[in-house]
Amino acid sequence: MKESNKKDATNDTVDGIDGDGDFDPSAPPPFKIAEIRAAIPKHCWVKNPWRSLSYVLRDVTVVFALAAAALHLDSWIFWPLYWAAQGTMFWAIFVLGHDCGHGSFSNNHLLNNVVGHILHSSILVPYHGWRISHRTHHQNHGNVENDESWVPLPEKIYKNLDLTTRIMRYTVPLPMLAYPIYLWRRSPGKEGSHFNPYSKLFAPSERKAVLTSTVCWSIMVLLLIYSSYVFDPVQVLKIHGVPYLIFVMWLDFVTYLHHHGHEQKLPWYRGKEWSYLRGGLTTVDRDYGWINGIHHDIGTHVIHHLFPQIPHYHLVEATKAAKPVLGKYYREPKKSGPFPLHLFSNLVRSIREDHYVSDTGDVVYYQTDPQLCTIKSN
């Protein structure tokens, strides 16, 4: 179970403090998930569909207003500002569809699915296909063998990658454009597609739902193609295509940093050492400054991962209530300025250093490929 000179997580620790007086994040926590749940106020669990819909109305209004302004001004001074703003709004739209997938949007299953399909299809995300794989991610967070999102590669799989793939996977900004590829073919070592109802990602009972989402995604693609013929393909690229790329970069940036890049190396688990609680406690909260309110406080990620049923508008309060229980297992995010520029150094360092984990051991930590570092530095 020992890994990379790290101490055995089950020995010489008391409440996460090892024999040297340092906090060991891999030590089994001295509290249960029920204690965290009990600390969160009851009203934080209440879903208000009207409040959720008000966020949809707000975001959709901003999206159309930005597009109208861009078309009206049609200035190369304004276009870059539009792309950055609209790409960020596409990301905000994604987060609301994400809430629909978790059921935190409302208690109405039909409402969740209708809104989720409209929001996610508009930004070229297959709603059910992604919802199901994301559910797998939450159910197995921190598990090297079964996690689904930004899961570390075991050493054997990593070393079977050709050099070009390694360089592309571990050179900024290329990993920040990975999401569309992941939707089509998942990650190295995993098979399946989010668009194929018969993919290994899905149970037979889920095939109809996945097909529905793939059809909705295809309709949006056809709509964009039709718009290119009726209007101008360059204009469609400027209005939707470039913001889509900005959205993809936001999604990859945020989701990567919620599971990587902390100043202290955090553990990943296998076998009997993994539990839902221990896996969830390896997630990281982030402060995004002014963006927090725009992307619906998705940076409050630890409590969201443990309790995805909590609506996004209660996550900050729920996190504050849970922190006394979590103690040192909660890592206070570094305060951001208006824009989260400080997180770029976390991203670059992690992608430069976090390449693979050992094929053996039930508590493992990221290791660095010195050969790749040497090649990239030349």
Side-chain angles (χ1 to χ4, degrees):
M1 171 177 157
K2 293 182 181 180
E3 167 62 23
S4 186
N5 296 322
K6 296 286 182 177
K7 291 190 176 183
D8 191 316
T10 60
N11 295 327
D12 301 323
T13 62
V14 178
D15 290 354
I17 308 300
D18 65 21
D20 298 324
D22 297 323
F23 174 70
D24 179 4
S26 72
F31 49 82
K32 298 184 182 299
I33 196 168
E35 296 174 61
I36 308 173
R37 183 189 297 271
I40 298 173
K42 290 184 179 180
H43 67 265
C44 288
W45 303 87
V46 177
K47 308 163 192 175
N48 184 333
W50 293 109
R51 184 170 181 179
S52 297
L53 286 167
S54 74
Y55 287 108
V56 173
L57 178 61
R58 183 198 75 175
D59 288 1
V60 170
T61 299
V62 173
V63 165
F64 278 98
L66 286 171
L71 290 170
H72 176 72
L73 296 173
D74 197 14
S75 163
W76 283 107
I77 296 175
F78 185 74
W79 279 114
L81 299 175
Y82 166 77
W83 293 331
Q86 192 71 298
T88 302
M89 291 310 303
F90 279 16
W91 164 235
I93 288 286
F94 173 87
V95 175
L96 292 177
H98 153 275
D99 289 356
C100 292
H102 278 303
S104 62
F105 189 87
S106 78
N107 287 321
N108 188 308
H109 185 70
L110 178 61
L111 176 64
N112 293 340
N113 285 343
V114 170
V115 174
H117 269 105
I118 293 172
L119 296 179
H120 274 191
S121 298
S122 71
I123 52 174
L124 299 178
V125 174
Y127 172 70
H128 279 307
W130 178 84
R131 174 187 65 80
I132 294 166
S133 75
H134 189 64
R135 179 190 66 198
T136 301
H137 165 55
H138 269 259
Q139 291 173 341
N140 298 278
H141 45 211
N143 188 313
V144 174
E145 298 168 321
N146 300 318
D147 200 346
E148 178 63 29
S149 177
W150 292 115
V151 59
L153 296 182
E155 184 174 4
K156 182 178 181 180
I157 293 177
Y158 174 83
K159 293 193 172 177
N160 281 332
L161 299 177
D162 59 74
L163 182 60
T164 301
T165 300
R166 291 191 206 179
I167 292 174
M168 291 182 66
R169 186 176 174 89
Y170 299 102
T171 302
V172 177
L174 297 178
M176 298 299 98
L177 298 170
Y179 184 63
I181 300 172
Y182 164 71
L183 289 178
W184 281 104
R185 52 186 298 182
R186 298 175 76 193
S187 303
K190 296 180 182 288
E191 297 179 359
S193 167
H194 289 76
F195 300 93
N196 181 2
Y198 292 90
S199 167
K200 292 181 179 180
L201 274 166
F202 314 120
S205 60
E206 296 168 331
R207 289 173 182 166
K208 184 177 180 181
V210 174
L211 178 60
T212 300
S213 296
T214 299
V215 169
C216 290
W217 181 91
S218 301
I219 290 172
M220 184 62 194
V221 170
L222 291 174
L223 181 61
L224 290 172
I225 294 173
Y226 176 74
S227 299
S228 297
Y229 279 105
V230 172
F231 303 105
D232 176 11
V234 174
Q235 202 78 319
V236 172
L237 180 67
K238 291 192 294 184
I239 287 292
H240 194 280
V242 178
Y244 171 77
L245 291 178
I246 301 297
F247 147 65
V248 166
M249 295 182 77
W250 263 118
L251 186 151
D252 285 327
F253 177 72
V254 171
T255 56
Y256 182 89
L257 286 174
H258 283 162
H259 301 276
H260 300 78
H262 191 259
E263 286 72 11
Q264 178 188 19
K265 292 274 188 183
L266 297 177
W268 288 77
Y269 300 102
R270 287 191 183 97
K272 293 181 180 180
E273 289 297 330
W274 180 86
S275 71
Y276 182 82
L277 176 57
R278 291 178 78 181
L281 293 176
T282 65
T283 61
V284 181
D285 278 12
R286 300 291 187 182
D287 182 16
Y288 297 93
W290 287 350
I291 309 298
N292 286 331
I294 296 174
H295 70 183
H296 309 291
D297 289 314
I298 196 63
T300 48
H301 207 65
V302 177
I303 290 302
H304 165 67
H305 244 269
L306 292 173
F307 307 109
Q309 317 92 313
I310 296 178
H312 74 263
Y313 42 83
H314 290 317
L315 283 174
V316 172
E317 182 181 0
T319 298
K320 184 178 180 180
K323 282 197 287 187
V325 178
L326 296 172
K328 290 189 176 183
Y329 287 87
Y330 179 78
R331 291 161 284 277
E332 196 74 40
K334 183 178 179 180
K335 197 69 178 173
S336 175
F339 300 100
L341 301 179
H342 67 290
L343 292 177
F344 285 99
S345 61
N346 296 74
L347 174 73
V348 172
R349 188 191 74 250
S350 178
I351 290 179
R352 186 176 64 238
E353 298 177 355
D354 299 340
H355 297 151
Y356 61 87
V357 296
S358 173
D359 293 324
T360 61
D362 287 348
V363 180
V364 293
Y365 292 80
Y366 266 111
Q367 298 181 37
T368 302
D369 178 1
Q371 179 187 13
L372 181 63
C373 293
T374 300
I375 293 172
K376 289 169 64 176
S377 63
N378 291 335

